[in-house]
Amino acid sequence: MLETQFIGSSRSTEVERARLVELLTAAPAHLDEGALVDLLFAHAPARLGLDVCFTYRADPERGRLHVLHVRGLDPVMRDALDGLAFGEFLCGRVARDRRQVVMREIGVSTDPACAAARKLHLGSYCGFPMIAPDGRLFGIAAFGSRSRRWFHDDEVAMFAELAVEIGLRRLRRDG
């Protein structure tokens, strides 16, 4: 089956990507990450297939992630994803390994870390650690799609830029 919702690397895609990143970086400084994610959802092109976004606060002392903002999930599922251990599921892997995780074709993956993503009916996922200048992990941001089997490299790069913006805002706010 062909991926029909391809954003690709066309000139119009580069313009869309730049416009989204500019929109979020130019958003008023007082907006918290939840408002920033809501802005992203309001302006992201439908063909991007963005259905879910998570932001977590990392608690390195306890090795846990705590949900700060979730878009695209019901409150019961949100609560079930709170308090993930580092290494648990995909978001926990991002925290444990302190590096981006991109999963494609989750529905057919045998990776045990994909269990929660399959329950959410995600087809694709990308998550990014938020690391302060002093090297401490302070959170993660993750994005997922139910309608897409994968995000293309340029889309992952765009989500990485958005995760950086979310992280910078949290650092400015929380120190």
Side-chain angles (χ1 to χ4, degrees), residues 2-22:
L2 289 176
E3 181 71 23
T4 57
Q5 294 181 320
F6 175 65
I7 284 194
S9 58
S10 70
R11 177 73 181 130
S12 64
T13 299
E14 291 173 21
V15 170
E16 269 182 346
R17 175 180 166 190
R19 191 174 14 164
L20 269 180
V21 171
E22 182 181 343

Side-chain angles (χ1 to χ4, degrees), residues 114-126:
C114 292
R118 276 192 298 276
K119 285 183 181 180
L120 298 174
H121 305 287
L122 295 181
S124 55
Y125 166 95
C126 52

Side-chain angles (χ1 to χ4, degrees), residues 58-167:
D59 180 353
E61 288 182 15
R62 292 186 176 80
R64 297 276 174 194
L65 292 172
H66 300 285
V67 172
L68 290 176
H69 185 77
V70 173
R71 175 78 186 251
L73 296 180
D74 64 54
V76 172
M77 188 56 74
R78 178 201 187 282
D79 291 346
L81 294 173
D82 193 30
L84 290 181
F86 285 15
E88 186 178 12
F89 302 129
L90 294 172
C91 291
R93 182 180 285 175
V94 171
R96 180 194 67 206
D97 298 346
R98 298 168 56 102
R99 66 176 177 80
Q100 120 181 348
V101 171
V102 177
M103 291 300 294
R104 295 174 165 101
E105 302 203 38
I106 290 170
V108 297
S109 174
T110 57
D111 186 331
C114 292
R118 276 192 298 276
K119 285 183 181 180
L120 298 174
H121 305 287
L122 295 181
S124 55
Y125 166 95
C126 52
F128 307 91
M130 295 183 210
I131 300 173
D134 64 6
R136 72 183 158 84
L137 175 75
F138 65 91
I140 74 158
F143 307 89
S145 176
R146 293 185 181 101
S147 59
R148 301 276 307 276
R149 294 178 309 173
W150 63 80
F151 291 121
H152 297 277
D153 291 343
D154 62 330
E155 297 164 339
V156 172
M158 178 189 68
F159 288 131
E161 290 179 64
L162 300 175
V164 166
E165 181 61 26
I166 290 168

